[in-house]
Amino acid sequence: MYIATVPNRHSPPAILLRESFREGGKVRTRTLANLTSWAPARIEALRRALKGEFDGLRGDLSPTCGPIFAVLFVLKQLADRLGLTRALGKERRAKLALFLVLVRVAAQGSRLSAVRWAANHAVAEALGLGRFDEDDLYAALDALAPRQEQIEDMLYHGVRRQTGPSPTVVLYDVTSSYLEGACNELAAFGYNRDKKPGKAQIVIGLMTMVNGEPIAVQVFEGNTSDPLTVPAQVETLRTRFGVTEVVFVGDRGMIKTKGKAALATAGYKYITALTTPQVRKLLREGVIRPEWFTPHVHAVQHGAVRLVLRRSEAVRRKAPRRRHDKLAKLHALITARNAFVRTAPRAKPEAGLRTLQAWITRHKLAGWVQLSLQAGDIIATMDEAAQTKATQFEGCYVLETDVPQTVLDAQAVHDRYRELHEVEHDFRTMKTGLLEVRPIFVRKASRTRAHVLVTMLALKVVREMRRALVAAFGTTDDDKMAVTVDDALAALARLCLLFYEVRGTVIARLPSPDARQAAILHALGTPLPGSRSLPMM
């Protein structure tokens, strides 16, 4: 038997399995099977077998465990589905940028740690990438930074083709991320959300659609205040994305005079929350009343804007317990400090007083808790009237919007603002959760922006992965054994390539997934390829 390739005019050639035999002294040929539909690798294996290359080999060949395959393969399929692969491009540096996005999902750290991680994963088989080092990854960051707007635009328009018209509601929030060292070109001292005094930082603004899907991220110098970042986002929506009508939703204290002016110039509307001093001023002026704060929304017109009031019963129930815990902690600290002063002759009571006064200020107790020294001991005194006044409006908040009632009623305004928590959740994922944007191991401004862009693109992959897992397995709130993103990555990390050496030729095989892995792959919609489909680099 042998394999014959038969030309087929304007169509691909036919691949036939044939055998020769003698009949009446003549050599004749007959076709046993048509192999045209077989994969080339399978045809080649059969051709070699017919030639006898595998004769005499034992059937108990021991495989060699190769690199982890499933993690990068699955993440690559998700990136393809989201359009990330197409947006990044096909060149080698584009593939390296895609690797940076995917490794950010699976393992966080520096470019050097990414190279080490790649040594244990099937980067060549899953991404078609040859060997690379950290310098190649830095070069990929350098190439990525100038293309940020182009990539974001392509992804935005791709989402629009799936969801329909341009968004009517855009969510926006700002966070900061501290830096180790002081050599980053964007590093500056500003309002430190990470509670890391003495650390320089950068400011990150993330803009999403109403469903929380990220559409753009921007990095500012660390001393940029939140309101000053809003005009840049308005310009992005107006000039780059071509959005003509939008409701811009920002957190309390973010949309101020300059931001409102920029929004008005673009013809946009806004929803934001008022700060506590702003709310107290409205109460003093009689614009709003305490009895209007209820579990149900209450709207009042105030000039050209509407104010939407509500009281959160969950926060109101939790607040007394939090106060009780803080006071218990304060008394424990006072008792420990007083005991230390009594047993240490050189201890200074005044130093302890200053430390604890700073503590009650940090925990927002200074308005109704006073500390004093009496015979060397620290004494805490509570002002009940001041406490009642300070806690009167716990759980109460006021939203401000210039969206007309005919477009969004009060409940819809409230619901749109509550959706801003999706952005806050994604920020936690980016900063301290799965993706860990920090620590930032780059110095140049362009590389810093590219690093944050990589993290945002990784966030899109994580959101897609989480959405599919929740749809299939639910959440841990519903079932404590539900599969999370971390669980899925850990399970996929057990699927490795197996290498067999046959007469000097290495053949790659992929074992069948177990029941848990199969369920995860099915939920994600990423079936593994057959062994014959595995590329060998």
Side-chain angles (χ1 to χ4, degrees):
M1 289 186 291
Y2 64 94
I3 295 175
T5 302
V6 181
N8 196 9
R9 292 187 180 181
H10 302 296
S11 300
I15 311 296
L16 305 177
L17 176 63
R18 288 179 168 177
E19 71 172 354
S20 299
F21 62 96
R22 288 185 175 275
E23 185 178 287
K26 294 183 177 181
V27 177
R28 299 186 181 277
T29 300
R30 60 181 166 218
T31 299
L32 301 178
N34 189 332
L35 310 180
T36 306
S37 62
W38 283 27
R42 189 179 183 188
I43 295 172
E44 181 60 25
L46 179 58
R47 191 191 306 274
R48 296 179 62 189
L50 293 174
K51 290 181 178 179
E53 293 186 17
F54 305 144
D55 293 351
L57 294 178
R58 303 192 317 272
D60 60 344
L61 290 175
S62 298
T64 300
C65 185
I68 299 168
F69 177 79
V71 172
L72 268 180
F73 174 81
V74 167
L75 294 178
K76 168 68 162 51
Q77 303 311 303
L78 296 176
D80 291 346
R81 186 188 307 167
L82 293 169
L84 296 186
T85 307
R86 181 174 60 86
L88 291 172
K90 298 180 180 179
E91 298 177 352
R92 175 174 167 79
R93 285 187 177 178
K95 291 182 179 180
L96 288 170
L98 177 62
F99 168 75
L100 284 172
V101 173
L102 303 186
V103 75
R104 178 60 47 179
V105 177
Q108 299 71 50
S110 64
R111 265 46 59 181
L112 177 58
S113 68
V115 173
R116 291 172 175 166
W117 184 88
N120 296 315
H121 288 257
V123 179
E125 293 79 3
L127 302 182
L129 273 172
R131 293 179 63 84
F132 57 86
D133 57 23
E134 62 270 27
D135 291 333
D136 295 320
L137 296 181
Y138 281 117
L141 282 182
D142 291 335
L144 185 63
R147 299 184 58 233
Q148 176 170 351
E149 292 189 2
Q150 175 191 352
I151 293 168
E152 290 176 344
D153 292 352
M154 289 183 65
L155 294 174
Y156 170 72
H157 292 296
V159 172
R160 275 195 57 185
R161 284 192 292 271
Q162 296 178 357
T163 60
S166 59
T168 56
V169 176
V170 170
L171 309 179
Y172 178 65
D173 203 1
V174 170
T175 190
S176 59
S177 183
Y178 72 89
L179 304 167
E180 297 291 351
C183 295
N184 189 286
E185 293 177 352
L186 296 174
F189 294 100
Y191 173 61
N192 197 304
R193 295 170 177 82
D194 300 318
K195 308 302 181 186
K196 294 287 186 178
K199 299 284 188 183
Q201 65 179 20
I202 58 172
V203 171
I204 303 171
L206 178 65
M207 190 160 47
T208 79
M209 302 179 73
V210 69
N211 61 356
E213 182 65 25
I215 56 178
V217 69
Q218 193 164 354
V219 181
F220 304 89
E221 293 184 358
N223 57 0
T224 306
S225 63
D226 293 0
L228 295 181
T229 68
V230 173
Q233 310 309 319
V234 175
E235 189 68 11
T236 295
L237 290 170
R238 188 177 63 84
T239 60
R240 283 177 46 198
F241 296 156
V243 181
T244 56
E245 294 183 7
V246 72
V247 177
F248 194 88
V249 184
D251 204 358
R252 68 182 71 241
M254 182 181 300
I255 303 178
K256 293 188 175 180
T257 304
K258 290 185 178 180
K260 292 176 182 178
L263 290 165
T265 301
Y268 296 166
K269 303 299 182 182
Y270 69 88
I271 299 173
T272 189
L274 300 183
T275 62
T276 300
Q278 290 174 318
V279 173
R280 293 193 179 277
K281 181 180 178 181
L282 292 174
L283 286 166
R284 289 195 302 270
E285 294 174 349
V287 176
I288 59 176
R289 301 176 183 175
E291 60 267 22
W292 290 348
F293 290 101
T294 69
H296 305 287
V297 296
H298 179 89
V300 58
Q301 193 71 31
H302 179 50
V305 300
R306 277 187 298 156
L307 304 177
V308 178
L309 292 71
R310 188 176 179 271
R311 184 181 71 231
S312 170
E313 292 303 303
V315 174
R316 201 169 183 83
R317 288 193 299 270
K318 185 166 60 175
R321 295 196 298 269
R322 295 183 64 186
R323 283 199 307 274
H324 178 271
D325 291 343
K326 288 180 182 179
L327 289 174
K329 177 67 174 178
L330 175 62
H331 287 304
L333 291 173
I334 291 174
T335 301
R337 178 63 190 183
N338 289 340
F340 173 74
V341 170
R342 295 191 193 101
T343 57
R346 300 181 64 181
K348 297 181 179 180
E350 295 80 4
L353 178 64
R354 288 193 298 270
T355 299
L356 290 176
Q357 284 174 334
W359 190 92
I360 66 172
T361 300
R362 188 166 62 252
H363 289 82
K364 300 179 181 180
L365 302 176
W368 47 277
V369 176
Q370 289 81 40
L371 300 182
S372 59
L373 283 176
Q374 294 183 11
D377 283 347
I378 300 175
I379 304 296
T381 305
M382 259 66 72
D383 187 333
E384 298 295 339
Q387 178 184 355
T388 301
K389 182 179 179 180
T391 61
Q392 180 182 5
F393 295 104
E394 285 178 330
C396 299
Y397 53 94
V398 179
L399 308 181
E400 179 185 283
T401 182
D402 61 350
V403 181
Q405 169 74 22
T406 54
V407 177
L408 290 178
D409 61 21
Q411 186 62 51
V413 169
H414 175 269
D415 293 343
R416 297 296 81 78
Y417 181 78
R418 294 292 296 173
E419 287 161 350
L420 197 60
H421 287 289
E422 279 292 317
V423 187
E424 296 173 353
H425 177 270
D426 287 342
F427 264 140
R428 288 193 294 273
T429 301
M430 287 178 63
K431 284 182 59 177
T432 58
L434 182 68
L435 302 179
E436 289 187 1
V437 71
R438 67 185 190 214
I440 298 173
F441 295 100
V442 290
R443 298 181 180 183
K444 295 181 179 179
S446 60
R447 289 181 178 177
T448 304
R449 293 191 171 97
H451 171 73
V452 174
L453 173 63
V454 163
T455 308
M456 188 200 80
L457 298 180
L459 175 62
K460 294 175 75 71
V461 177
V462 169
R463 286 176 52 85
E464 176 68 11
M465 194 173 185
R466 185 187 299 131
R467 180 199 61 76
L469 293 175
V470 169
F473 305 108
T475 67
T476 51
D477 293 334
D478 305 323
D479 178 6
K480 63 182 181 180
M481 297 304 292
V483 179
T484 66
V485 172
D486 285 329
D487 296 335
L489 291 172
L492 295 175
R494 293 186 286 106
L495 265 173
C496 302
L497 290 177
L498 299 178
F499 291 137
Y500 296 83
E501 185 173 351
V502 180
R503 290 190 180 275
T505 300
V506 176
I507 300 174
R509 290 291 182 265
L510 190 61
S512 299
D514 61 27
R516 181 177 177 84
Q517 293 165 337
I520 292 171
L521 292 168
H522 178 73
L524 297 176
T526 55
L528 293 176
S531 295
R532 63 180 181 274
S533 302
L534 295 176
M536 293 296 294
M537 299 296 291

